[in-house]
Amino acid sequence: MAYFHSYAHVGIHEEMIKDRVRTETYRAAIMQHQSSITGKVVVDVGCGTGILSIFCAQAGAKRVYAVDASEIAVQANEVVKANNLSDTVIVLHGRVEDVQIDEEVDVIISEWMGYMLLYESMLGSVITARDRWLKPGGLILPSNATLYMAPITHSDRYSESIDFWRNVYGIDMSAMLPLAKQCAFEEPSVETITGENVLTWPHVVKHLDCYTISIHELESVTTRYKFKSMMRAPLHGFAFWFDVEFSGPAVSPTNNHTPSSHVDDNPLDGSQRKKRANPNEALVLSTAPEDPPTHWQQTLIYFYDPIEVEQDQLIEGSVTLSQSKENARFMNIHLEYASGGRSFVKELVMR
């Protein structure tokens, strides 16, 4: 319950709403799909302050069920009242697994994505709502998501955290280095990098189709990666980011979920990554380093020591992301890496 309690704090919601890229993309997606929302029943999974529910009401929804397990639902109800939308928006305080909705719904909307896409993600709740209430052919926003990874170089960050111990007011404090490295890099770091930090085109770790994915698939995600460095540089670790797409339901089985084994093992070059079936069709919310920053930033996994890589040098290995047994909201990360005759394993917990 601590997880839900933390989401009662207004600061978290303020940060998310002030993220204009996030909030305006959601509003644009609602307006783009207005014909599927007007006169229809919508459920907003993890409604927070209720802003997406209100956008849906403004788009002409017949009824919106705004569901949230945290105490923020009390405030959401007040916000709905203050905007004279109590006839349309029904706030349900409870978990998606527990609340009752006595009709099928036409649309599920949710801002479920966590850092690194899957950390503290509410996708499991979206899947539960889909399986409980969504009509056949109903709409899910966003409809799919893709998690990427790429090797990065980030000398400034390494210097700030580590190198300054070599000379502190003229004193050699390098005995602090092992501890400094452990404290700085033993857990994933959420920060903003730019395209200049990235050494190669990204690799698809996992593609998620919200219409077909099962809760079981989220328990563990594994991919093998193989990169070729575009330049000579110190390799400091890997960055992860994601994008989500707001497109309609698949119209035929051929558009449906691509088997993950096919997608996961193909590093995409930049031209492929930007291609869509129809660029005018799907709105995309991206957290990539080259796109405008969001509150998700990027998630970085740093090595304790940088590795010098040459241009065209292969960087390969595997990464597994799995739900922690102690807390399903935590994520265990198992990273295996090999390049230039060196190999190692790094285990982290994102908590």
Side-chain angles (χ1 to χ4, degrees):
M1 291 310 289
Y3 167 78
F4 294 123
H5 184 69
S6 72
Y7 274 83
H9 192 283
V10 75
I12 290 174
H13 298 280
E14 183 181 340
E15 178 187 43
M16 291 190 286
I17 290 171
K18 282 182 174 174
D19 181 343
R20 295 184 73 89
V21 174
R22 163 201 178 269
T23 306
E24 289 182 353
T25 304
Y26 266 86
R27 182 162 61 178
I30 288 163
M31 296 318 293
Q32 189 180 61
H33 291 278
Q34 189 167 8
S35 60
S36 301
I37 292 171
T38 302
K40 300 292 177 59
V41 179
V42 178
V43 62
D44 176 1
V45 176
C47 68
T49 53
I51 190 167
L52 300 185
S53 296
I54 290 171
F55 288 161
C56 289
Q58 290 171 341
K62 177 171 79 171
R63 203 160 21 262
V64 183
Y65 293 100
V67 184
D68 206 294
S70 87
E71 295 297 324
I72 200 72
V74 177
Q75 276 76 33
N77 204 32
E78 295 302 315
V79 171
V80 167
K81 277 187 202 164
N83 287 275
N84 300 314
L85 288 169
S86 299
D87 292 345
T88 306
V89 180
I90 299 158
V91 178
L92 299 175
H93 184 191
R95 300 185 330 135
V96 163
E97 293 78 1
D98 302 328
V99 300
Q100 276 308 117
I101 294 178
D102 295 324
E103 61 182 323
E104 286 189 312
V105 305
D106 303 280
V107 182
I108 292 173
I109 191 163
S110 180
E111 197 273 76
W112 53 263
M113 301 83 72
Y115 295 119
M116 207 169 168
L117 188 62
L118 298 174
Y119 169 66
E120 270 200 351
S121 135
M122 286 194 311
L123 182 54
S125 299
V126 173
I127 293 168
T128 299
R130 177 197 74 194
D131 294 347
R132 286 189 75 187
W133 301 311
L134 189 66
K135 285 180 183 172
L139 176 67
I140 304 177
L141 296 176
S143 49
N144 58 69
T146 308
L147 176 63
Y148 301 95
M149 70 181 290
I152 54 120
T153 185
H154 202 351
S155 296
D156 291 352
R157 168 74 159 79
Y158 196 84
S159 296
E160 284 166 24
S161 305
I162 307 302
D163 288 338
F164 85 99
W165 289 107
R166 298 182 198 283
N167 183 335
V168 182
Y169 297 99
I171 299 165
D172 178 358
M173 286 203 164
S174 50
M176 292 291 295
L177 287 174
L179 183 61
K181 288 175 186 176
Q182 189 177 348
C183 291
F185 303 138
E186 71 179 339
E187 292 183 351
S189 174
V190 176
E191 56 190 89
T192 299
I193 57 170
T194 69
E196 292 173 4
N197 295 111
V198 182
L199 292 174
T200 70
W201 293 116
H203 166 84
V204 173
V205 176
K206 181 71 174 173
H207 178 76
L208 308 173
D209 180 332
C210 296
Y211 293 101
T212 59
I213 192 161
S214 67
I215 287 178
H216 172 68
E217 270 184 83
L218 300 176
E219 289 169 8
S220 185
V221 171
T222 298
T223 184
R224 290 205 63 78
Y225 62 81
K226 185 181 282 189
F227 297 105
K228 189 184 278 191
S229 180
M230 290 178 174
M231 65 187 90
R232 184 182 183 193
L235 169 64
H236 289 99
F238 292 96
F240 293 78
W241 64 86
F242 63 87
D243 57 35
V244 295
E245 197 170 285
F246 296 85
S247 49
V251 286
S252 72
T254 53
N255 288 356
N256 231 330
H257 184 53
T258 313
S260 53
S261 59
H262 171 72
V263 177
D264 289 1
D265 292 338
N266 283 312
L268 297 188
D269 70 25
S271 60
Q272 285 174 298
R273 194 172 76 84
K274 290 296 181 195
K275 270 185 201 159
R276 308 284 166 194
N278 176 349
N280 302 324
E281 219 167 67
L283 265 174
V284 176
L285 169 57
S286 172
T287 66
E290 68 269 20
D291 286 313
T294 68
H295 78 279
W296 288 283
Q297 304 182 81
Q298 291 83 40
T299 301
L300 280 76
I301 292 177
Y302 285 101
F303 302 150
Y304 290 126
D305 294 293
I307 297 164
E308 292 296 330
V309 295
E310 302 296 326
Q311 186 168 341
D312 296 330
Q313 185 171 322
L314 277 182
I315 300 164
E316 56 188 320
S318 67
V319 65
T320 297
L321 313 176
S322 55
Q323 286 179 359
S324 165
K325 296 285 184 281
E326 59 179 283
N327 184 333
R329 299 276 174 187
F330 293 173
M331 187 161 66
N332 294 329
I333 303 167
H334 176 90
L335 178 73
E336 295 185 14
Y337 164 87
S339 183
R342 295 182 61 182
S343 62
F344 62 84
V345 174
K346 185 160 186 176
E347 304 263 8
L348 310 92
V349 180
M350 198 163 184
R351 65 179 89 231

